[in-house]
Amino acid sequence: MKRFCVRLLAIARKLLRAHKGRPVALVVLFCLSLLNLCSEWPNDIARPAFVDTLDEVLPNSFGTARQLLFDHYQRLFPRTPTAQPVTIVEIDEKTLAAIGQWPWPRNRLAGLIDAIAAQKPLAIGLDIYMPEPDQTSPDKVADNLPTGAAALAAGLRALPSHEAILAKSLRAAPTILGAAAFDHAAFTTSTDLRSAPILVHGADPLRSVQRFNYVLASLPQLQAAAHGQAMLNVALEQGVVRHIPLLMGLGGKLVPSLPIEMLRVATGSSAVDVFADPSGVQAVGVADVQVPTQPDGDIWLHFASIQSTQDRYVSARDILQGKVDPGRIRNKLVLVGLTGSGLTDMRTTALGELVPGIEIQAQVIETIFEGRFLRRPTWLKWAECAFIMAFGLLIIWYVPRTDSRLAVFMRHVPKASAVLGILLNLLILSSGIFLFKHLGLLVDAASIFIVLSAVMGCFFSTALLDEDARVEAAHAKVREDDNGRTGKASGPEVA
């Protein structure tokens, strides 16, 4: 085994020193560039089968570094809200203590919607699923009464059901019900959802967006009464929310997300516009608002710190007790959700903060209002690949040249290639930060750093091997000179 390792090391040394390290550097450049491209395959060309195989063998080869870098951009420059179009009515601990535990009877939820609607909001979005009948409804209670209480049961059945009361409130206010898409069937899931029309301009984007076959939605009676239905799904990458779909596929049709559907209802639009080309979705629009998207219909979310958004929260208890300034609700987009302990769906943002799921939806709406989008267009991915290849080939051609000043410097300072690599990549990182701050572009400086550092590392290794060879040759010459002098001193004396 030891002999095999020594032989393998000798082969590696020979390869690194062959043609001044250029062949090995070329192989490293092309292999890592291909791996980087496969980790984020552009949508404008068909995805080959070997890319899926490579993803299975080397999952998240460059993806993790890319995601951490984009998170770092946001933590350096989090979004500072300039407007507050959203108010969150939270069913919090104070509300649960005053009104009662969750889930509430549907007539009580109807009372909350009526109290919000009285303050004239533009739209009310419910981050709440109601797929099953309310078991506290009068007709359900009547079904559980003993046979001797027939008169009481008949009286209860004569009362409107809690679903009917809630449906009336939903119909009277500009309400949107939330739903969640699933890729598998469950007891309360269905295969369809009542949703507003989607008008597609250009190529059919259904193959590009994330698609599901099942949905967890509210009862058909409630869906029919609400003014809109929308998906609440967010995209998770290793447990972190970085982007959110504005558009998804359910079976064979397109359905909008909650932020887009709320804008549609608030503006009185009859449909959502989708602009697409063969590479995928380019933008999603409502009325005169167009939101640029990734080809899969997602948008990268530029997060604001939760400390800067606390003013948007209003307790549902205060709404029901009439203690809230009407200006907090009037002409606002109102989201209703759970924040009470043990009830809320907590999510981790790119800033590393744990926030209620309803906060994610609010930040999407806020970002659309401000028009400050993070973008990673397909052309940027190709530009990064071109830069890596061009600069990598320049390094491979120039660095090993014996007649260049750089080569002379590197021969005298073997660690020079490492220093130059660090300086180069610091310049690339600074450029990425600049483009993020001023243009909202997500430049993958991490992949550029990894690939070009590996290429420079090939010449760093070659320089170290050359230095070792020079040192070994110098030691050998010293030993030879010492042996020569020793031989002369001990030889026979000639008369």
Side-chain angles (χ1 to χ4, degrees), residues 7 18 47 61 76 78 97 120 132 152 161 230 245 267 323 357 371 374 398 414-416 451 467 493:
R7 184 175 298 175
R47 184 181 173 94
S61 51
L76 281 175
K120 305 299 182 184
E132 297 178 326
L152 177 58
S161 69
T267 57
K323 296 180 179 179
L374 296 183
Y398 184 76
K415 294 181 180 180
V451 177
E467 182 65 17
E493 190 175 321

Side-chain angles (χ1 to χ4, degrees), residues 325-385:
D325 178 3
R328 301 287 301 275
I329 304 295
R330 187 177 300 276
N331 295 328
K332 299 280 188 178
L333 297 172
V334 176
L335 293 169
V336 180
L338 303 166
T339 63
S341 178
L343 297 178
T344 184
D345 179 22
M346 302 298 289
R347 301 289 187 179
T348 302
T349 70
L351 299 181
E353 298 177 331
L354 198 63
V355 304
I358 195 77
E359 172 69 19
I360 304 292
Q361 308 292 340
Q363 295 224 16
V364 176
I365 297 171
E366 200 170 66
T367 299
I368 294 173
F369 263 76
E370 294 177 356
R372 297 161 60 190
F373 307 109
L374 296 183
R375 296 179 298 130
R376 182 156 173 76
T378 301
W379 66 261
L380 181 58
K381 301 176 188 178
W382 287 118
E384 291 167 359
C385 292

Side-chain angles (χ1 to χ4, degrees), residues 196-436:
I198 303 283
L199 298 182
V200 177
H201 305 270
D204 183 6
L206 193 59
R207 65 175 183 83
S208 302
V209 302
Q210 192 174 11
R211 296 176 63 181
F212 299 90
N213 291 319
Y214 303 95
V215 62
L216 178 65
S218 296
L219 295 168
Q221 180 183 3
L222 303 179
Q223 289 189 48
H227 292 244
Q229 318 289 326
M231 293 297 193
L232 297 168
N233 295 60
V234 298
L236 289 176
E237 294 174 319
Q238 298 178 344
V240 178
V241 178
R242 296 182 175 92
H243 43 93
I244 187 169
L246 295 187
L247 197 69
M248 290 189 297
L250 178 60
K253 73 175 186 179
L254 297 169
V255 290
S257 68
L258 182 60
I260 287 295
E261 184 68 352
M262 288 191 70
L263 290 176
R264 185 193 69 80
V265 172
T267 57
S269 302
S270 59
V272 173
D273 294 301
V274 175
F275 303 88
D277 61 21
S279 66
V281 182
Q282 299 302 308
V284 177
V286 173
D288 59 348
V289 177
Q290 279 194 26
V291 184
T293 68
Q294 298 299 116
D296 59 359
D298 284 15
I299 61 167
W300 288 85
L301 197 53
H302 193 178
F303 283 97
S305 172
I306 188 67
Q307 284 80 12
S308 66
T309 65
Q310 286 300 302
D311 289 344
R312 70 161 120 253
Y313 285 83
V314 173
S315 175
R317 184 197 67 175
D318 295 339
I319 291 282
L320 290 168
Q321 294 178 356
K323 296 180 179 179
V324 175
D325 178 3
R328 301 287 301 275
I329 304 295
R330 187 177 300 276
N331 295 328
K332 299 280 188 178
L333 297 172
V334 176
L335 293 169
V336 180
L338 303 166
T339 63
S341 178
L343 297 178
T344 184
D345 179 22
M346 302 298 289
R347 301 289 187 179
T348 302
T349 70
L351 299 181
E353 298 177 331
L354 198 63
V355 304
I358 195 77
E359 172 69 19
I360 304 292
Q361 308 292 340
Q363 295 224 16
V364 176
I365 297 171
E366 200 170 66
T367 299
I368 294 173
F369 263 76
E370 294 177 356
R372 297 161 60 190
F373 307 109
L374 296 183
R375 296 179 298 130
R376 182 156 173 76
T378 301
W379 66 261
L380 181 58
K381 301 176 188 178
W382 287 118
E384 291 167 359
C385 292
F387 178 85
I388 290 172
M389 292 302 300
F391 213 95
L393 291 172
L394 179 64
I395 291 172
I396 292 170
W397 169 74
Y398 184 76
V399 170
R401 290 181 58 191
T402 56
D403 58 338
S404 68
R405 294 180 180 179
L406 181 61
V408 173
F409 176 64
M410 289 178 62
R411 280 199 299 272
H412 287 87
V413 185
K415 294 181 180 180
S417 60
V419 174
L420 289 172
I422 291 172
L423 291 176
L424 170 65
N425 286 296
L426 284 175
L427 178 62
I428 294 169
L429 179 60
S430 300
S431 301
I433 291 173
F434 177 85
L435 291 172
F436 174 86

Side-chain angles (χ1 to χ4, degrees), residues 9 87 136 178 189 436 477 487:
L9 184 60
T87 294
T136 66
T189 58
F436 174 86
K477 189 174 186 309

Side-chain angles (χ1 to χ4, degrees), residues 60-92:
N60 292 321
S61 51
F62 282 82
T64 300
R66 183 185 303 117
Q67 292 161 5
L68 292 175
L69 176 67
F70 293 166
D71 292 351
H72 185 65
Y73 287 161
Q74 296 216 38
R75 292 174 189 184
L76 281 175
F77 302 103
R79 182 175 57 83
T80 302
T82 58
Q84 196 176 82
V86 180
T87 294
I88 294 178
V89 175
E90 56 175 342
I91 300 173
D92 56 359

